[in-house]
Amino acid sequence: MHRGLHGRGGLFDADPPGLASRLVGLRPYQLRATPYEHTDELPFVVFAGGRGLGKSAVLSELRDAYRGHTPVALIDGEERQFSGPPAERPVESWSPVGQALTTVAEQLAEPVTGAGRIGFPRLAAGLLAVAAGGWSNRDVPRIRQEAERILLLNETGGGWLSGFAGRWVSKVISKVIASLSGTGPVIAPIIEATLEAFAEGIGPAPRRLRRAATWYRDYPNAGGSPKLALILLSRHFRAGGDSRRHAERYLVRALLADLDDAYAGVMQRSHRRGRPLVLIDNVQEPAGLGILEPVLRDRADGIADQVVFLTALRGYTHPALRNAGRRTLPETARESGWTPGTSPSSRALLVSLPPLTPDDTLHIVDTASDRLGATSGGTVVPPQLPHATHRLTGGSPLGITLLAESARQNLPQGAASLGALLTADVAVHEDHDGRPTYQELLDRLVPGGRLDELTVLAAAHDRDSACALAQAQLPEDFGASGVLDLEERLSAEGWPTAGGQFVGDPFLRALLLLRLHHGDRNHERWRAVHRTLIDHYDDEDPHGNARYRLHHELALGKADFAVAHLRDTFPRTDTRPWLSSLVFIASAPYYHAHDPDGRDFDGHDHRASVALGHTDAAQQPPDSVDAALHLRVRRLLHAVWQLTDPLVLPDPKVTERLRFELEQLSNLRPAGNALLWRASRDWPSDALAGRPFRIPGDDDENGDGGR
């Protein structure tokens, strides 16, 4: 894989062949054939996942892997060209699906090794009929431009023959222009002129054009007349709604019929290796759905095609894919295991892209480190960086790649933590200025507005606390409905949920909270948000919600309340919930301690000094408490706070101190001795390996302590 994609071998492997090889019949980047897994009906493959999982990168890699070897096309349903018609074109004669089919056909038409261009006469005839619905004799230049683009889809020649095809297009356009009348509709004469030209065979492939001219005669209610069929198709398209979807289904079918024609016959098959490949990013958008649904319906109705569709869906579900087969990418590495059912949606195979593994992260960071070493004169990459990067990103390919690039650019300038790498500028393109890495990430992970509101709500823990924040910190017109809308959007885009957090994904939440902290120079919004939540949990249930309130006190740099609570509850609370509260409270975000006016004291992280006992001498525990226990809990809290912070690299000295403090606490609680001892062994190794702290005894061994 030329771009160094990691963790996607189940798709790209050549030996044994991965999913792409088995569907296309060719090994990536090679002309070597591989046996087909599905010889009759193909699954319509949909790669599923949230933002940042590398779906677009996978499709781009697939295009590069097969371009020039077999016909391949790649479109993105979110591209601007699919959002609305050109300024001069009436909306009733344009749709995202029609634009997508034109773009796909133009790419599929390109010559490949051993075979020339593919022509699309059926599709061209249908598209021309649709376009004619928006023509009049007053806009001849536009007619000529639109007709030429459509008719050039028929060109199959190369060299001198392409010139002949160009002259043929000019002749057809002349017929079209001549058919325009001074008044009245122009659709019928234009269709008549087009079919006449096709039937005359005045092009480079007469028989192919004549077959295309008669293909539409089976259109419903056309009575076997291709002309009437195209008039009806144009009329249905202009009508919109279900009528338009009916017409678009025939346009999709026309594209696939043209492709089938290009592979028909012994001679054609001997020159064309593999199957044609259509790649659609953001298939949930109208341009993608308008292709996906007709293909699934036709395949369910027994109308076969041999086109490989590999597409990407944002999220993990869609109504059009209700009965789709479901696999993870590793499960399809050697065999898809897919068989169609009876419904159209069962003709799809939904393949979830997993996050990258710690080993994948290590390789990506190592690659950036090698490039760094070659240009920086020996800047040393911290050994904990790969593990910490994986813990922060959760295996997000986008997050890992951009952080690795930020490390390459900013480690030589003194950036020493993930927080520093996120706030440092990164230049993604050589011809563009850099900007903070966290902003670059958020623009890709949360596009489309509402970023300011989501930034505030990232500090919330559930819908109630989010509504409290919305009422106090967001415009009046946002309110509870805005909270529900953002909740729905996060779910629709595939972001996970997590108990105790409004934004369930830890990586996205960390980026949003970083943006909240840096939103103004004096951190006024940051302090206001956390104070709102402190008041919310204090008013709602001061005892039952103590850990939430203390979490936000700690986020404001006030550790005394948390120390007192953990110290006082240690003797009388079961060990497992006490450890869980410790981890949750200490998961508070930390962005430099600041005074009541929002100013940083000195910009340094003091948690390690507290954890190592360097500040004990300056402490005066209350007279009525066990001073040794008070200081031990204070050191432990700061150790957990520092070691679970996803934006810093773990300090080996602090991990050893964490081990010691938990061992000593285990001596004070005979009933909970085993759990505290287990934590003293697990947590230091979890910290150094970049894993969330596991609460000993929890059923979920991968739990994150409420984070």
Side-chain angles (χ1 to χ4, degrees):
M1 290 178 284
H2 291 189
R3 294 193 193 175
L5 288 184
H6 294 270
R8 306 301 182 233
L11 180 61
F12 288 97
D13 282 348
D15 190 16
L19 180 62
S21 299
R22 303 193 309 272
L23 293 178
V24 177
L26 292 174
R27 300 184 182 191
Y29 293 103
Q30 302 176 32
L31 276 172
R32 295 179 60 189
T34 192
Y36 293 124
E37 178 180 353
H38 299 280
T39 55
D40 296 325
E41 183 177 344
L42 294 165
F44 192 109
V45 177
V46 182
F47 299 118
R51 292 186 186 269
L53 274 179
K55 301 183 299 297
S56 298
V58 161
L59 295 185
S60 182
E61 184 79 12
L62 284 164
R63 177 191 58 190
D64 292 347
Y66 287 105
R67 187 160 48 187
H69 302 310
T70 194
V72 60
L74 169 61
I75 62 169
D76 183 347
E78 286 191 335
E79 286 181 36
R80 182 175 296 179
Q81 64 167 316
F82 306 124
S83 61
E88 308 83 8
R89 188 162 181 177
V91 67
E92 64 268 13
S93 66
W94 181 94
S95 77
V97 179
Q99 182 71 13
L101 291 172
T102 304
T103 307
V104 165
E106 287 173 336
Q107 295 181 45
L108 291 172
E110 292 302 314
V112 298
T113 301
R117 291 176 60 86
I118 293 176
F120 292 90
R122 296 167 182 80
L123 178 62
L127 291 175
L128 201 66
V130 167
W135 290 347
S136 72
N137 64 336
R138 293 186 299 274
D139 49 11
V140 171
R142 179 171 68 86
I143 293 173
R144 184 176 298 276
Q145 181 182 27
E146 291 179 7
E148 185 174 58
R149 182 183 182 187
I150 293 170
L151 288 168
L152 282 174
L153 295 176
N154 292 320
E155 184 179 349
T156 58
W160 70 271
L161 199 55
S162 64
F164 182 74
R167 291 193 296 274
W168 173 76
V169 168
S170 297
K171 184 175 290 189
V172 175
I173 290 175
S174 297
K175 283 179 173 284
V176 168
I177 300 299
S179 71
L180 295 174
S181 60
T183 59
V186 301
I187 297 173
I190 287 173
I191 290 173
E192 188 173 334
T194 303
L195 292 175
E196 180 183 324
F198 279 29
E200 289 175 357
I202 56 174
R207 282 181 297 179
R208 177 177 54 84
L209 291 175
R210 285 195 289 270
R211 286 198 305 271
T214 60
W215 183 79
Y216 283 94
R217 62 188 173 192
D218 294 329
Y219 193 87
N221 299 320
S225 167
K227 176 183 175 181
L228 178 57
L230 289 169
I231 291 173
L232 289 172
L233 180 133
S234 181
R235 183 185 302 165
H236 290 153
F237 191 96
R238 294 195 313 279
D242 289 341
S243 295
R244 172 172 289 185
R245 283 188 284 275
H246 174 78
E248 288 173 339
R249 183 180 181 185
Y250 271 82
L251 292 175
V252 173
R253 192 180 295 173
L255 171 82
L256 300 181
D258 284 330
L259 283 171
D260 186 62
D261 198 29
Y263 282 75
V266 176
M267 185 64 69
Q268 292 279 41
R269 286 196 297 271
S270 67
H271 285 84
R272 295 194 178 277
R273 303 186 182 186
R275 289 165 169 155
L277 176 61
V278 175
L279 308 165
I280 305 175
D281 201 357
N282 289 301
V283 75
Q284 75 279 353
E285 299 299 322
L289 283 179
I291 295 176
L292 177 148
E293 292 178 323
V295 172
L296 296 182
R297 287 179 61 190
D298 276 2
R299 289 180 176 180
D301 289 344
I303 302 174
D305 69 84
Q306 287 296 301
V307 178
V308 177
F309 286 92
L310 299 176
T311 65
L313 172 75
R314 183 173 305 132
Y316 295 91
T317 60
H318 192 279
L321 300 168
R322 187 173 292 108
N323 298 315
R326 292 180 179 272
R327 302 286 187 278
T328 64
L329 183 60
E331 289 173 340
T332 68
R334 300 297 170 255
E335 184 181 24
S336 72
W338 173 85
T339 55
T342 57
S343 65
S345 61
S346 72
R347 265 57 194 178
L349 175 62
L350 208 63
V351 179
S352 299
L353 294 184
L356 300 185
T357 66
D359 286 345
D360 295 326
T361 305
L362 176 65
H363 294 317
I364 294 172
V365 175
D366 279 349
T367 300
S369 303
D370 292 341
R371 295 168 60 202
L372 171 63
T375 59
S376 67
T379 298
V380 177
V381 176
Q384 308 101 318
L385 184 63
H387 293 315
T389 298
H390 191 267
R391 177 181 68 174
L392 169 64
T393 63
S396 162
L398 174 64
I400 296 165
T401 302
L402 275 180
L403 274 167
E405 182 59 26
S406 181
R408 186 187 70 81
Q409 296 181 26
N410 294 299
L411 283 177
Q413 277 66 53
S417 69
L418 288 173
L421 293 177
L422 285 171
T423 54
D425 287 352
V426 62
V428 180
H429 304 288
E430 293 182 359
D431 56 343
H432 288 76
D433 293 335
R435 59 180 184 149
T437 307
Y438 77 89
Q439 289 186 10
E440 189 72 40
L441 284 163
L442 283 173
D443 279 355
R444 303 190 193 191
L445 295 174
V446 192
R450 294 302 192 190
L451 177 58
D452 289 342
E453 292 84 354
L454 190 58
T455 298
V456 170
L457 298 185
H461 299 281
D462 52 24
R463 186 182 298 166
D464 287 344
S465 56
C467 287
L469 275 178
Q471 182 179 6
Q473 300 296 328
L474 295 176
E476 291 183 4
D477 61 353
F478 186 77
S481 62
V483 171
L484 292 172
D485 178 67
L486 276 181
E487 212 175 39
E488 185 178 274
R489 180 186 296 190
L490 289 171
S491 175
E493 297 206 347
W495 292 109
T497 58
Q501 300 294 351
F502 181 77
V503 177
D505 184 78
F507 180 41
L508 178 61
R509 187 167 67 249
L511 296 173
L512 291 166
L513 291 174
L514 188 61
R515 183 177 187 269
L516 176 64
H517 188 261
H518 286 272
D520 54 87
R521 194 172 70 176
N522 292 327
H523 316 304
E524 291 178 0
R525 194 68 179 280
W526 170 265
R527 288 180 288 131
V529 164
H530 288 288
R531 285 172 179 164
T532 297
L533 290 172
I534 290 169
D535 292 341
H536 170 72
Y537 285 111
D538 194 38
D539 293 341
E540 190 177 70
D541 183 357
H543 300 292
N545 292 306
R547 69 179 196 159
Y548 290 101
R549 188 176 69 255
L550 297 171
H551 171 98
H552 294 287
E553 294 278 8
L554 198 58
L556 295 177
K558 301 174 182 178
D560 291 346
F561 299 109
V563 171
H565 173 80
L566 292 167
R567 177 201 66 214
D568 293 342
T569 56
F570 176 73
R572 62 175 187 268
T573 304
D574 288 344
T575 301
R576 187 178 299 126
W578 187 86
L579 288 172
S580 179
S581 292
L582 167 64
V583 172
F584 181 82
I585 293 168
S587 69
Y590 178 93
Y591 302 115
H592 297 314
H594 45 261
D595 64 19
D597 295 323
R599 295 185 295 265
D600 290 345
F601 289 126
D602 54 17
H604 293 294
D605 185 346
H606 296 280
R607 290 175 296 180
S609 295
V610 177
L612 295 173
H614 296 165
T615 63
D616 283 1
Q619 294 299 305
Q620 291 292 330
D623 294 337
S624 59
V625 304
D626 183 334
L629 177 62
H630 178 91
L631 292 175
R632 192 173 304 287
V633 168
R634 183 172 180 267
R635 292 191 296 267
L636 178 63
L637 172 67
H638 283 79
V640 175
W641 194 12
Q642 198 259 8
L643 291 173
T644 59
D645 189 340
L647 302 185
V648 302
L649 302 182
D651 186 330
K653 293 181 180 178
V654 175
T655 61
E656 284 304 310
R657 189 63 186 233
L658 173 67
R659 183 191 304 275
F660 174 77
E661 298 295 355
L662 287 168
E663 286 177 354
Q664 296 304 306
L665 280 179
S666 72
N667 293 329
L668 302 178
R669 286 290 303 273
N673 176 282
L675 294 179
L676 289 163
W677 181 264
R678 187 70 265 153
S680 76
R681 285 344 191 219
D682 291 344
W683 288 6
S685 60
D686 287 343
L688 293 176
R691 294 188 297 264
F693 281 11
R694 297 163 291 178
I695 307 302
D698 276 0
D699 293 335
D700 180 8
E701 287 298 311
N702 295 316
D704 60 3
R707 295 186 68 193

